[in-house]
């Protein structure tokens, strides 16, 4: 059926996001934050992507996510890595 074809296409993450191979790491980082903190901004994925595209390696973002236990601490670190902060 068309619904099953659509589902198979959407579920095929690696092929579906082949133009953004770093997304898998960013979803993993979001999972780290969600498991450690009581609050994570709903728009965290766009902020993580902005920081990565501004030149921050995903491994560095992962380490920061592992090291922070409060949203405010991670938010401050992430803000320093986003393009607006670099300007």
């Amino acid at each position: 059926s068309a619904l099953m074809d659509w589902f198979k296409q959407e579920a095929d993450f690696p092929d579906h996001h082949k133009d953004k191979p770093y997304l898998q790491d960013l979803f993993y980082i979001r999972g780290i934050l969600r498991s450690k903190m009581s609050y994570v901004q709903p728009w965290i994925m766009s902020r993580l992507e902005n920081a990565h595209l501004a030149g921050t390696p995903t491994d560095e973002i992962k380490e920061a996510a592992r090291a922070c236990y409060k949203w405010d601490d991670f938010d401050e670190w992430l803000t320093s890595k986003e393009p607006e902060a670099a300007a």
Side-chain angles (χ1 to χ4, degrees), residues 58-74:
T58 56
D59 287 341
E60 185 179 337
I61 302 171
K62 280 181 202 174
E63 288 306 312
R66 289 181 182 128
C68 292
Y69 288 91
K70 294 188 330 190
W71 171 254
D72 291 340
D73 294 339
F74 186 77

Side-chain angles (χ1 to χ4, degrees), residues 31-49:
I32 292 170
L33 295 170
R34 285 181 168 176
S35 70
K36 293 177 68 170
M37 301 177 187
S38 60
Y39 174 76
V40 175
Q41 287 179 339
W43 53 88
I44 188 64
M45 288 301 293
S46 64
R47 292 194 61 205
L48 292 172
E49 185 172 22

